[in-house]
Amino acid sequence: TGLLNDSADASVQLDLQTPEISYTISSTPVPFGGTGSYAVEVSNSGAGDARAFRLDTNLNAQALSVVSVSSGWTYDAGTGEISYDAGTFAAGATETVVITVEDDADKCSVAQSVTATFLSTFEDDCGTEFTTPADLATISFNQVPGINIEEGTDPRLETAQSGSYLVTVSAT
């Protein structure tokens, strides 16, 4: 009948040049009413470049202000986004952005700390977008004033009786 039955095997080797971004966040306490810095070390341990790299944060929604970021980085106060000015993290590269913040909390309702969220977004060489899992960092405030009231005499005072109290204001 003239039918030919034939088959062949072939293998294709894919060379995926995928970026693999990770970061670590270190911080120091921010003095009450003052400024402090923390560092985010970003590493690309993958085989491909990470393009259009940015860190999406919620720093713009916290009880603090971003005063500055390291040279080579840009902070957008409207969105909380920190972008890498060079745009591309080469495979194997590590960069650090130092973020300086200032405590601008409502002085009548002082927080001991705030939780900052970091989420990195980037693209590979083909334009495929990647997002890393969110990472949380606690930014703590130290030297927060506190008030302590202690009784100086018997607290059970009768009408027209006098007594004393000790009021202590301190930074914790």
Side-chain angles (χ1 to χ4, degrees):
T1 61
L3 294 176
L4 181 61
N5 237 353
D6 196 9
S7 66
D9 288 328
S11 64
V12 176
Q13 184 175 355
L14 297 176
D15 184 14
L16 300 176
Q17 300 288 308
T18 306
E20 183 69 34
I21 295 291
S22 62
Y23 47 93
T24 55
I25 303 165
S26 63
S27 66
T28 57
V30 177
F32 179 76
T35 59
S37 296
Y38 58 101
V40 180
E41 183 180 86
V42 182
S43 299
N44 180 1
S45 60
D49 294 344
R51 300 187 183 288
F53 180 84
R54 65 187 184 276
L55 275 173
D56 295 314
T57 75
N58 66 342
L59 293 174
N60 59 330
Q62 299 295 337
L64 51 85
S65 298
V66 174
V67 176
S68 65
V69 293
S70 301
S71 176
W73 297 83
T74 302
Y75 175 70
D76 182 333
T79 64
E81 181 181 286
I82 300 170
S83 54
Y84 183 54
D85 294 344
T88 301
F89 261 99
T94 298
E95 295 287 338
T96 301
V97 56
V98 176
I99 305 164
T100 302
V101 297
E102 179 177 53
D103 171 23
D104 64 357
D106 177 357
K107 304 306 183 222
C108 295
S109 60
V110 177
Q112 296 290 326
S113 65
V114 297
T115 300
T117 304
F118 292 84
L119 179 75
S120 68
T121 304
F122 53 92
E123 298 174 357
D124 64 8
D125 288 334
C126 298
T128 304
E129 187 170 278
F130 294 85
T131 301
T132 59
D135 196 5
L136 303 176
T138 299
I139 301 170
S140 59
F141 302 104
N142 62 8
Q143 303 171 354
V144 176
I147 295 179
N148 184 28
I149 299 176
E150 297 177 13
E151 303 148 358
T153 61
D154 188 347
R156 297 167 291 182
L157 299 176
E158 301 292 327
T159 305
Q161 205 177 11
S162 64
S164 65
Y165 288 85
L166 175 64
V167 177
T168 306
V169 179
S170 62
T172 56

